[in-house]
Amino acid sequence: MNEKIYSIMDDLTDAPFGISLAAISHCDGSYRIVRNKSSVTCMGYVISGKGVVTTREMTVRPEEGDVFILHKEDDHVCAADPSEPWEIAWFTVDGSLVEHLLMAYGLENVIHVKGVDAQELFEEFVQNACRNPEQATALNALVFHRILCRIAERMIPAETGDALRIKSYLDAHVCEQVTVEELAKLIGRSPSQTIRIFKSAYGQTPYNYSLDRRIGAAKLMLEESCLSVKEIARQLCFADEHYFSNIFKQKTGLSPRSYRMAPEKNEENIPVYML
């Protein structure tokens, strides 16, 4: 066990942000910390190895690259894995700013976040802790904020952003036949990954979403314009009038001409979008 702990402040009661301890711990298999109704919040980053954390009747197993958060007033048990003990950078903090920032970033109930790119920030926090208390507090209030921002960013799945980019692209190209290869290039993924990402977020493939958008646009054109069925098919990039008519009927239960003539439109769940 190799551990150098920096102790900054003993009484954090009145400080908006205070640091009590900070360290980088090179643990052995016997490392185990128990806190009952902890008076501080503890955050740790696993530099290497593995460990086990139990709190709030939950047990998680942080490993290399993960962050764990042990919240104030909770019971904590924190231990290194006996066969592959972890090396962790960690600190304990308290104050109104700590609680406010955790809530602002939606982390007040988060215990374990995997794969956070924050090692340099935790190490910076520990390095700052060896300064005088005033400097350490001022510098690390900012570092703590940056750490929470990095954690919150990691909690938003990349796939959500990719799916939204695909959806926005399809929404902007309603009158075009967009290929999955185009979408894959847009987000830098393979076609199969692209389909999976979009379907996971929106419950349908990009093709079906695009087709629904185009049928919705066709319904609007049939209702609000005098364009021929052939011209509508052309403007919406369907292969030909007959193919368009067949797809339209599958989706709405009516042919385009019947839909245009019907006094009451079919109530199929095909959304109508303004162009």
Side-chain angles (χ1 to χ4, degrees):
M1 179 75 182
N2 180 7
E3 183 175 48
K4 185 172 183 180
I5 300 177
Y6 298 96
S7 178
I8 311 301
M9 300 173 68
D10 293 326
D11 184 6
L12 307 183
T13 305
D14 299 321
F17 179 82
I19 311 157
S20 52
L21 301 173
I24 294 180
S25 300
H26 306 265
C27 303
D28 58 27
S30 65
Y31 179 91
R32 190 171 186 268
I33 300 293
V34 178
R35 299 186 187 90
N36 295 317
K37 301 296 180 184
S38 178
S39 61
V40 292
T41 294
C42 176
M43 295 185 65
Y45 179 89
V46 184
I47 298 171
S48 62
K50 301 176 182 177
V52 178
V53 169
T54 300
T55 184
R56 297 187 179 183
E57 299 183 348
M58 295 174 55
T59 297
V60 296
R61 301 181 183 277
E63 55 187 29
E64 183 175 339
D66 295 357
V67 169
F68 57 88
I69 306 174
L70 307 179
H71 295 276
K72 181 179 178 178
E73 298 182 358
D74 288 345
D75 296 334
H76 310 153
V77 179
C78 187
D81 184 285
S83 61
E84 195 177 343
W86 57 13
E87 177 185 358
I88 54 174
W90 61 273
F91 54 79
T92 55
V93 291
D94 193 23
S96 58
L97 182 62
V98 174
E99 301 306 313
H100 289 156
L101 285 175
L102 285 169
M103 290 184 66
Y105 282 97
L107 300 175
E108 67 271 24
N109 295 312
V110 172
I111 306 297
H112 178 208
V113 184
K114 296 184 69 64
V116 182
D117 181 19
Q119 180 174 337
E120 80 284 0
L121 292 176
F122 275 83
E123 290 176 345
E124 181 181 348
F125 193 106
V126 175
Q127 289 168 6
N128 288 339
C130 68
R131 299 171 181 264
N132 66 59
E134 291 77 15
Q135 285 182 312
T137 300
L139 291 171
N140 277 341
L142 297 176
V143 177
F144 179 73
H145 196 166
R146 289 162 60 200
I147 287 171
L148 297 190
C149 183
R150 191 73 59 87
I151 293 169
E153 287 174 354
R154 181 64 184 90
M155 289 178 65
I156 302 173
E159 292 186 355
T160 300
D162 287 340
L164 184 58
R165 288 182 68 196
I166 295 167
K167 181 177 178 293
S168 298
Y169 187 86
L170 293 173
D171 289 345
H173 296 80
V174 174
C175 294
E176 301 174 29
Q177 192 170 35
V178 180
T179 66
V180 70
E181 286 75 19
E182 286 179 67
L183 299 175
K185 185 176 180 181
L186 177 71
I187 63 170
R189 305 290 187 102
S190 70
S192 60
Q193 285 179 311
T194 300
I195 293 170
R196 178 181 58 79
I197 288 167
F198 190 87
K199 189 171 182 179
S200 175
Y202 298 109
Q204 61 184 148
T205 65
Y207 170 79
N208 285 329
Y209 176 81
S210 177
L211 184 58
D212 282 350
R213 288 297 315 263
R214 290 158 73 203
I215 294 298
K219 290 172 70 175
L220 189 61
M221 290 179 178
L222 289 165
E223 292 171 1
E224 303 294 337
S225 79
C226 296
L227 293 174
S228 67
V229 173
K230 183 176 182 179
E231 180 60 19
I232 291 173
R234 187 191 69 79
Q235 288 199 17
L236 293 175
C237 291
F238 286 95
D240 54 49
E241 177 184 352
H242 300 294
Y243 177 71
F244 165 62
S245 296
N246 288 336
I247 292 293
F248 190 92
K249 188 170 184 178
Q250 287 176 20
K251 290 288 189 178
T252 69
L254 295 171
S255 70
R257 289 183 177 83
S258 297
Y259 181 88
R260 173 172 269 168
M261 298 293 292
E264 294 183 3
K265 308 306 182 189
N266 188 289
E267 294 299 324
E268 188 78 17
N269 290 325
I270 302 298
V272 175
Y273 300 90
M274 298 299 293
L275 298 178

